[in-house]
Amino acid sequence: MPFGQIVVGPPGSGKTTYCRGMKEFLTSLGRKVAVVNLDPANESLPYEPDVDINELINLEDVMARLKLGPNGALMYCMEFLEQNFGWLNDRLAGLKENYILFDFPGQVELYTHHTSVSHLLEELQRQEYQLVAVHLVDAHYCTDPGKFIAVVLTSLNTMLQLALPHVNVLSKVDLIEKMGKLAFGLDFYTEVLDLSYLLDHLRKDPFMRRFRDLNEKIVDLIEGQSLVSFATLDIQDTDSVSSVLKLVDKAGGYVFGEGEARNIQLMQSAMTADVNYMQTGDAREKHTASGRSTSPVTAAELA
């Protein structure tokens, strides 16, 4: 039974960098890894793909031949891949002893309401692939209450659409406050605590105040589901990558291969069953000025 990760998320969230970093980390543990590039717009890869969709179809070619914009062409490429699943299945046949990282495109619509990606995942599951969706979101969205609420809603929609074991990740957490101060401690965002506090901040924004009723309904929907939470990731931090991997392995039912546990211990990563996998406290202390307090930041401080 092949195991793998479906790496998705908005453009710029760090999916390709994640695949490179996770491959390097897994390889250091002794896990045999393959990376599959399924982004037809991604031609300059920082890793050597074991399977590359550009051998089947290329975004620029589709745009030129069909006179489509990048979004329409990307949807066409995914539909073409769905119709030619046999091509992908044939190339994956020789990788079934590997742990596979699937690097998907960054167009949000592909994971919220378009069906080609979900159909591809259904086909992979029929081939007995044990998959976990890793949904990356740039952590800087936490600095903007409106954008964070939108990101949480997108994450919820993606979880329901892909219908896989799912791990949401705030990527680039080491850069989180370069775009502005957080209104609350980092754990407020990772645990998606009472979002009504963010509504208070939105009401102070002259533009967002116009959408008060809509924002309240969106928050009610998110909190009514109680499904979304986030891990944090600094891809350059071994402990951070290890924490995310443990969450993914737990979600997918992966059992460590021979020697992996020992290798993780040698990297000083906790392996006990009761470990706090997200290590939000460590990320807060390392990367946020508010790490020493979870008290709300005042409006004057945010200005």
Side-chain angles (χ1 to χ4, degrees):
M1 178 185 294
F3 286 81
Q5 299 180 29
I6 302 298
V7 183
V8 299
S13 57
K15 296 180 296 298
T16 297
T17 301
Y18 172 89
C19 287
R20 180 187 64 183
M22 183 58 73
K23 178 181 180 180
E24 292 173 355
F25 184 77
L26 289 167
T27 300
S28 73
L29 296 182
R31 198 178 299 189
K32 191 177 180 182
V33 185
V35 185
V36 176
N37 175 43
L38 294 182
D39 184 356
N42 202 352
E43 295 180 309
S44 300
L45 295 167
Y47 57 79
E48 185 66 33
D50 296 270
V51 179
D52 190 350
I53 191 176
N54 285 290
E55 297 175 4
L56 174 69
I57 192 167
N58 178 271
L59 185 73
E60 290 188 2
D61 290 344
V62 171
M63 291 173 63
R65 292 179 184 178
L66 301 181
K67 309 301 181 186
L68 294 172
N71 289 347
L74 198 49
M75 288 188 177
Y76 179 91
C77 289
M78 289 296 101
E79 291 169 357
F80 189 82
L81 178 61
E82 178 190 357
Q83 294 166 5
N84 292 273
F85 178 78
W87 174 89
L88 177 61
N89 196 38
D90 289 345
R91 280 151 183 78
L92 291 175
L95 302 175
K96 292 196 174 181
E97 298 300 317
N98 295 58
Y99 185 94
I100 304 177
L101 302 172
F102 293 88
D103 188 359
F104 271 82
Q107 189 174 359
V108 173
E109 296 93 324
L110 294 172
Y111 316 112
T112 56
H113 58 273
H114 195 260
T115 58
S116 286
V117 170
S118 59
H119 290 166
L120 285 169
L121 300 182
E122 289 170 3
E123 289 294 335
L124 288 171
Q125 288 177 292
R126 289 191 187 99
Q127 302 297 320
E128 298 187 340
Y129 284 84
Q130 189 72 21
L131 302 172
V132 176
V134 178
H135 183 233
L136 300 177
V137 174
D138 196 319
H140 87 262
Y141 288 121
C142 297
T143 63
D144 185 313
K147 290 179 180 177
F148 181 71
I149 289 173
V151 158
V152 177
L153 181 61
T154 300
S155 300
L156 175 61
N157 200 345
T158 301
M159 293 173 73
L160 298 176
Q161 177 80 354
L162 298 187
L164 288 174
H166 199 100
V167 177
N168 292 304
V169 178
L170 293 175
S171 63
K172 308 179 188 177
V173 72
D174 50 313
L175 306 176
I176 190 170
E177 288 199 328
K178 289 195 174 182
M179 296 295 292
K181 293 182 179 179
L182 298 180
F184 301 94
L186 185 57
D187 51 352
F188 176 89
Y189 301 92
T190 58
E191 297 301 321
V192 190
L193 300 175
D194 192 342
L195 295 181
S196 63
Y197 290 109
L198 292 183
L199 290 176
D200 292 338
H201 285 275
L202 292 177
R203 293 186 187 106
K204 298 172 186 175
D205 185 317
F207 178 78
M208 296 301 294
R209 191 184 303 136
R210 298 161 49 194
F211 304 100
R212 182 187 63 184
D213 291 344
L214 175 61
N215 289 328
E216 289 176 353
K217 293 297 184 184
I218 290 174
V219 167
D220 287 344
L221 173 64
I222 292 169
E223 294 186 334
Q225 297 293 326
S226 297
L227 290 176
V228 182
S229 62
F230 293 93
T232 59
L233 176 65
D234 172 2
I235 195 63
Q236 301 179 67
D237 186 315
T238 299
D239 289 338
S240 180
V241 177
S242 177
S243 296
V244 170
L245 178 61
K246 290 171 197 170
L247 271 176
V248 173
D249 284 347
K250 183 178 179 182
Y254 182 86
V255 178
F256 292 119
E258 183 178 354
E260 282 190 37
R262 174 174 171 75
N263 289 337
I264 291 178
Q265 287 172 339
L266 291 174
M267 288 186 229
Q268 298 181 335
S269 299
M271 295 299 296
T272 58
D274 295 328
V275 70
N276 178 0
Y277 288 102
M278 290 188 185
Q279 294 184 340
T280 301
D282 289 346
R284 183 174 63 239
E285 292 296 330
K286 286 181 181 179
H287 305 302
T288 69
S290 58
R292 292 169 293 281
S293 171
T294 57
S295 300
V297 177
T298 64
E301 290 176 304
L302 285 170

